[in-house]
Amino acid sequence: MSGVVFLILLLLGLPLAFTLIASGMVYFAQNPELPTAVAVQRMVAASQSFPLLAVPFFILAGHVMNCSGITKRLIHVSNLLVAWISGGLAHVTIVLSALMGGVSGSAIADAAMQARILGEPMQASGLSKGFSAATITVSALITACIPPSIGLILYGYMGNVSIGKLFLAGLIPGLLLTLVLMLVVYLQARKKGFAPTQANPPSFKQILEAINQSKWALLFPVLLIVTIRFGIFTPSEAGAFAVLYACVVGRFAYRELTLSDITTSLSESVSDIGMIMLIILASGVVGYAIAYEQLPVSLTLAVTQVTEQPQLILLMALAILLVVGVVMEGTITVLLLTPILVPLMQSVGVDPVHFGILMLIMVTLGGTTPPVGIAMYAVCNILRCSTTDYVKAAVPLFIAVLALVVVLALYPPLVLFIPELLF
């Protein structure tokens, strides 16, 4: 009954947090042996986690970066490096996704931000609306696995997996995603006759000058990974450091961050943080119901009766995540399904770090596909692009991403090489 309530409220457009709370309370009402006070206790308990402090800090850091000049300089470096390739600004948005990481906490927010910044210039450079929208939306997949992805932090918290290992494990898949998407965009741009926005590649001197101007922005992800790997900061402390770093760089290095900007960043962050944390609290109630019903155990038994091959089970789980990701935002999918799927993966011998990277890519990909992809509609609305044009341009990108995910699933060392080397 609670599952039916959840689906009905979701289809009616009720905010996800309230949908979760309502369906969770229906479950408790159906089971009189469970005191309602337990639901409240689980909501409170869901917030009592030190690693969760990383979430609001990184979200605030993302907003401060946009105001401090860091994002602007990352766009400049990206443009210089790849605007001379066929497809021009389409490559810029891909490289920018790789440089930014998922600091906003949502691939949808990252895609929307890039659509507002690069959407019109991409079309003005000769790229079609559908091609521009598809590239911006699908490139947001990169932010799902490049640190400091909020999705990886939430997965690590819900699945009791090392966040430091997840950050390192996302580097190679993130780089491969970047290269694969750039290759597809290049081939499609040549096929459609889209000219580059710069006639010639940059000189070595120009690259050095751009890197020097943007060194503080480019140093951010390096410092993040190094400090977490060597135990200088926990992920939560790294989030606080990220906020301080963005403020110091914006105020004293780039001299662009003002008190008004900080106030605006705080205001916008409060809204984003409140939404995400309310979903996390609500997921505590649903998570308790999942554990009480022993759904992970039941799912494990059901799947292992079909096949005991770990790779087949992994591919089945990824297919399920793609379908779920179409109708639900990535954050809520991670919060709901991680407690169910991680025990299943561990029971058949799949490394939870390996699975976490693939899970984040698949749930994010779901948001970029029809019929209910949330990121797709967000970007198409901003660029005033029809869904038909978007889908036509996005199909080659979808095929390339799915092919890469299969390769990553069947060859775990591509994901686990760095964390196993450094931990």
Side-chain angles (χ1 to χ4, degrees):
M1 181 62 184
S2 58
V4 175
V5 171
F6 175 81
L7 290 175
I8 291 174
L9 295 179
L10 194 66
L11 292 173
L12 290 175
L14 191 71
L16 288 171
F18 300 115
T19 299
L20 287 170
I21 293 173
S23 56
M25 296 310 295
V26 168
Y27 176 82
F28 274 84
Q30 285 181 294
N31 295 272
E33 70 276 11
L34 294 176
T36 307
V38 173
V40 179
Q41 291 170 0
R42 297 315 303 170
M43 289 183 68
V44 174
S47 67
Q48 306 302 301
S49 171
F50 185 70
L52 273 185
L53 284 174
V55 175
F57 280 133
F58 278 122
I59 290 174
L60 177 57
H63 284 287
V64 175
M65 286 171 65
N66 289 338
C67 297
S68 64
I70 291 178
T71 301
K72 181 171 69 177
R73 284 165 175 79
L74 291 178
I75 293 175
H76 172 65
V77 172
S78 303
N79 187 59
L80 182 69
L81 291 176
V82 295
W84 56 276
I85 306 173
S86 293
L89 290 177
H91 294 287
V92 174
T93 190
I94 296 172
V95 174
L96 181 60
S97 293
L99 293 177
M100 285 288 291
V103 289
S104 74
S106 168
I108 296 173
D110 289 327
M113 180 270 290
Q114 294 206 38
R116 293 187 184 97
I117 295 175
L118 294 172
E120 289 188 9
M122 288 174 73
Q123 294 174 60
S125 70
L127 302 180
S128 67
K129 279 188 178 182
F131 189 77
S132 301
T135 307
I136 291 172
T137 307
V138 181
S139 68
L141 290 173
I142 302 169
T143 68
C145 50
I146 290 287
S149 165
I150 301 296
L152 291 179
I153 296 173
L154 294 178
Y155 173 85
Y157 160 68
M158 297 299 294
N160 195 27
V161 182
S162 168
I163 295 174
K165 286 186 177 180
L166 288 168
F167 277 5
L168 291 171
L171 294 176
I172 292 179
L175 176 61
L176 291 175
L177 266 174
T178 302
L179 295 176
V180 166
L181 291 176
M182 288 184 68
L183 175 61
V184 175
V185 164
Y186 172 78
L187 295 175
Q188 289 295 305
R190 289 289 298 269
K191 179 180 177 181
K192 297 175 184 295
F194 296 143
T197 52
Q198 292 181 7
N200 300 308
S203 65
F204 185 68
K205 181 181 179 181
Q206 288 177 310
I207 294 175
L208 287 181
E209 288 176 352
I211 291 176
N212 181 55
Q213 292 172 3
S214 308
K215 58 181 178 292
W216 299 113
L218 297 171
L219 191 60
F220 169 69
V222 177
L223 288 175
L224 203 65
I225 293 172
V226 170
T227 53
I228 292 177
R229 163 62 190 89
F230 291 101
I232 300 172
F233 295 139
T234 65
S236 303
E237 292 166 346
F241 166 75
V243 175
L244 180 62
Y245 182 85
C247 288
V248 171
V249 169
R251 183 69 185 93
F252 298 104
Y254 296 150
R255 300 184 181 278
E256 293 186 18
L257 188 66
T258 64
L259 182 60
S260 175
D261 291 330
I262 294 176
T263 303
T264 301
S265 298
L266 286 169
S267 176
E268 293 175 348
S269 298
V270 166
S271 176
D272 293 343
I273 294 165
M275 175 188 66
I276 291 177
M277 294 307 295
L278 187 57
I279 292 174
I280 291 173
L281 297 182
S283 70
V285 181
V286 177
Y288 180 83
I290 289 170
Y292 187 80
E293 292 290 338
Q294 294 187 321
L295 283 181
V297 177
S298 302
L299 181 63
T300 300
L301 292 174
V303 171
T304 51
Q305 286 177 358
V306 176
T307 177
E308 294 185 359
Q309 290 292 326
Q311 290 177 331
L312 287 177
I313 294 174
L314 175 57
L315 292 174
M316 288 169 58
L318 294 176
I320 293 171
L321 288 169
L322 177 60
V323 174
V324 174
V326 170
V327 295
M328 287 201 296
E329 207 273 326
T331 300
I332 190 63
T333 304
V334 170
L335 291 171
L336 282 179
L337 297 187
T338 297
I340 300 175
L341 294 177
V342 168
L344 169 62
M345 292 299 111
Q346 290 176 315
S347 70
V348 298
V350 175
D351 191 295
V353 174
H354 179 211
F355 177 67
I357 300 300
L358 299 179
M359 178 178 183
L360 263 295
I361 295 174
M362 291 306 283
V363 299
T364 309
L365 179 61
T368 69
T369 61
V372 200
I374 303 172
M376 173 187 71
Y377 286 120
V379 173
C380 285
N381 285 337
I382 292 172
L383 299 187
R384 295 180 177 85
C385 171
S386 72
T387 307
T388 303
D389 291 341
Y390 168 87
V391 171
K392 288 179 180 178
V395 166
L397 298 172
F398 292 152
I399 294 173
V401 170
L402 290 173
L404 178 60
V405 168
V406 171
V407 172
L408 294 174
L410 298 180
Y411 192 65
L414 284 174
V415 179
L416 299 175
F417 173 72
I418 295 180
E420 288 180 350
L421 179 69
L422 296 180
F423 277 84

